[in-house]
Amino acid sequence: MTQDGDTIFGKIVRREIPATIVYETDTVLAFRDISPAAPSHVLVIPKRPIVSVAHATKDDAQLIGELMLAAAEVARQEGIAEGGYRIVTNIGQHGGQTVFHLHLHVLGGRPMEWPPG
Ligand code: DGP
């Protein structure tokens, strides 16, 4: 895993590797997680690489907002909005981040546990 800004998600944005894309705007891309942890598991990413929300600045505020709204739209599209769902972003080693391009996990289709393991 690298932290230099280009990751596997950059390759998905540039269509260099395949992904099941479920939602796209000029600034945001959403695609199915390759290793789903719930019946519906979609990753929502900014097309412009930001390592994590901890690396975002005030200049990224609109993009971060667009990301959250896109996650809610994906949940509606996936049919999980009514039953409820979870949006998660992992940050750094203890957060469990493995891909260093900011992403929101949208998980639903089953009851979620709390607290997470
Ligand atoms: P995180 O641990 O929060 O950094 O989550 C990274 C997620 O990315 C993990 O759930 C698996 C997913 N993932 C990793 N590589 C690929 C890939 O090449 N394609 C897709 N669709 N998902 C990937």
Side-chain angles (χ1 to χ4, degrees):
M1 308 300 162
T2 62
Q3 298 210 34
D4 64 4
D6 195 27
T7 68
I8 196 93
F9 291 175
K11 295 187 196 312
I12 289 173
V13 169
R14 296 191 299 273
R15 272 43 174 197
E16 291 169 7
I17 63 165
T20 306
I21 292 168
V22 299
Y23 181 80
E24 182 170 18
T25 70
D26 287 348
T27 55
V28 167
L29 190 69
F31 52 90
R32 297 203 184 282
D33 194 293
I34 204 166
S35 179
S40 174
H41 186 173
V42 173
L43 301 173
V44 183
I45 72 170
K47 290 183 175 176
R48 172 158 59 82
I50 300 170
V51 173
S52 81
V53 75
H55 296 74
T57 69
K58 282 188 176 167
D59 290 343
D60 301 313
Q62 180 168 337
L63 183 55
I64 302 289
E66 288 172 4
L67 212 58
M68 290 298 283
L69 293 173
E73 181 55 30
V74 164
R76 283 189 286 273
Q77 247 183 236
E78 290 286 299
I80 58 173
E82 203 162 312
Y85 57 95
R86 184 165 293 166
I87 298 174
V88 176
T89 188
N90 296 326
I91 299 156
Q93 189 187 1
H94 284 188
Q97 185 175 12
T98 59
V99 179
F100 293 91
H101 180 136
L102 170 60
H103 50 284
L104 303 182
H105 295 257
V106 181
L107 298 141
R110 66 166 171 81
M112 297 293 147
E113 290 148 26
W114 192 264

